[in-house]
């Protein structure tokens, strides 16, 4: 069972240190704090996309969630990079739901046809 944790803003240097630690909990916390608070959605997107291919399934999943948060909060995303990356994650059985949720957030908040991301 997960518990609520307040995710305060974070300085980029501190976030990058947490990410480079390789410790899943720290990486996940850092990418969420970046997604929720960094004012530059392009930089935040770059960080999340880099983690979307992590060997750790929890990092891949949280990175997908972060991409959805970025689209929701900033009302835009780099669809040419983000959508294909999330579509690829749809085939990851541990993260299909998170990829779908992120694609739905993009469709809802960043102006994409909601059903076009499905690979059926």
């Amino acid at each position: 069972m997960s518990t609520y944790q307040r995710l305060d803003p974070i300085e980029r240097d501190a976030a990058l240190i947490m990410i480079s630690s390789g410790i899943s909990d720290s990486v996940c916390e850092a990418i969420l704090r970046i997604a929720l608070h960094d004012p530059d959605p392009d930089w935040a997107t770059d960080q999340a996309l880099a983690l979307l291919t992590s060997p750790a399934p929890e990092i891949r999943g949280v990175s997908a969630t972060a991409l959805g948060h970025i689209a929701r909060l900033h009302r835009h995303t780099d669809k040419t990079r983000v959508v294909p990356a999330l579509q690829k994650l749809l085939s990851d059985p541990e993260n299909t739901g998170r990829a779908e949720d992120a694609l739905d957030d993009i469709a809802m908040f960043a102006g994409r046809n909601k059903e076009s991301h499905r690979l059926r």
Side-chain angles (χ1 to χ4, degrees), residues 23-101:
I23 300 168
S24 289
D25 288 346
S26 293
V27 174
C28 291
E29 178 184 337
I31 196 57
L32 286 175
R33 290 172 71 182
I34 289 168
L36 293 171
H37 300 292
D38 197 274
D40 182 351
D42 295 326
W43 186 82
T45 296
D46 290 343
Q47 305 315 304
L49 283 173
L51 296 171
L52 206 57
T53 58
S54 169
E58 62 276 9
I59 293 174
R60 292 192 306 272
V62 171
S63 297
T65 299
L67 289 165
H69 288 328
I70 293 164
R72 178 178 54 82
L73 294 169
H74 294 280
R75 304 285 183 187
H76 96 330
T77 192
D78 181 349
K79 293 177 196 142
T80 60
R81 294 188 311 140
V82 173
V83 171
L86 289 169
Q87 286 175 329
K88 186 174 181 180
L89 195 65
L90 289 171
S91 64
D92 177 347
E94 295 173 289
N95 287 297
T96 300
R98 286 188 170 201
E100 288 175 343
D101 290 346

